[in-house]
Amino acid sequence: MIFEEEGEGEEGERGAEKMDDSERSDTKSSYSFLTKRQLEVLQMRHQGLSQQDVADRLGTTRSNISILEKRAHQNIARAQRTVQQWMMIRAPISLFVKGGTDVFDIPRMIFAAADEMGIRLHVTSMDILVQLRRNAPRLFHKRVLGRDVRIYMKENGETMVEVAE
């Protein structure tokens, strides 16, 4: 997985968009980043209803449904990034790799870091390269890493990639 900060902030957008009374009064549950209204909208949209159909059913405007849906997806993305960060913190192997590094050198570096920590990884060099390419395809330019990254690996071989700041 790749973790990159997005440029848009929710605060700036909230000022530019108007909320109707149904969104203002809706609160997030204690176990979700989504409001009850956002969940309701996402469920109907997942069932194939258009934004206008959802608006008609809920007695609001299509524009409001669009805003609710957009904010729901922003909240989901924020939750996913939070889980990624937590998984990265818990990963026993953390390795900084400079941009310009040949991608075929990266598995060797990961195995060396695992050996130093006494961790036996049950993955091959090819497994690591496939995961890296899948999780961060834009970071690679032919055989070279395009930017500095931090690579995290869990004991089960799961690999996560964070663009270094």
Side-chain angles (χ1 to χ4, degrees):
M1 297 181 170
I2 187 166
F3 172 76
E4 293 186 66
E5 289 295 322
E6 295 181 11
E8 294 182 335
E10 187 176 330
E11 271 47 88
E13 291 172 344
R14 196 165 266 164
E17 298 167 341
K18 294 184 180 179
M19 291 186 282
D20 73 4
D21 290 336
S22 67
E23 187 179 10
R24 273 190 210 100
S25 64
D26 196 13
T27 58
K28 291 181 181 156
S29 67
S30 61
Y31 60 88
S32 176
F33 286 109
L34 301 174
T35 66
K36 291 176 187 175
R37 189 75 154 186
Q38 288 170 341
L39 280 169
E40 195 173 13
V41 168
L42 290 176
Q43 286 171 338
M44 285 190 254
R45 293 285 287 142
H46 185 70
Q47 293 169 355
L49 273 63
S50 69
Q51 287 183 339
Q52 188 60 57
D53 292 337
V54 174
D56 293 343
R57 285 192 181 185
L58 297 179
T60 189
T61 65
R62 191 212 56 82
S63 176
N64 188 51
I65 296 305
S66 177
I67 292 167
L68 284 165
E69 189 173 4
K70 178 181 177 181
R71 289 189 181 147
H73 287 289
Q74 288 171 337
N75 288 343
I76 291 166
R78 183 177 297 118
Q80 289 172 326
R81 288 190 305 270
T82 301
V83 170
Q84 282 179 331
Q85 289 173 327
W86 176 239
M87 296 307 291
M88 288 174 184
I89 289 169
R90 293 180 54 213
I93 299 169
S94 173
L95 180 68
F96 178 81
V97 182
K98 297 278 296 168
T101 301
D102 186 313
V103 295
F104 291 110
D105 290 336
I106 296 173
R108 180 186 49 74
M109 297 165 77
I110 290 172
F111 286 122
D115 288 345
E116 284 180 27
M117 299 188 72
I119 297 171
R120 178 150 163 68
L121 295 174
H122 299 283
V123 293
T124 66
S125 294
M126 189 56 69
D127 293 333
I128 293 170
L129 291 174
V130 168
Q131 282 193 67
L132 290 173
R133 177 71 71 179
R134 184 180 332 119
N135 294 338
R138 295 176 298 193
L139 291 178
F140 298 98
H141 304 287
K142 297 187 181 177
R143 281 185 51 171
V144 176
L145 189 62
R147 296 190 275 179
D148 295 352
V149 296
R150 183 159 293 279
I151 298 172
Y152 300 88
M153 181 163 281
K154 293 169 50 178
E155 290 167 329
N156 67 0
E158 182 182 344
T159 305
M160 296 162 283
V161 181
E162 178 181 28
V163 176
E165 295 179 16

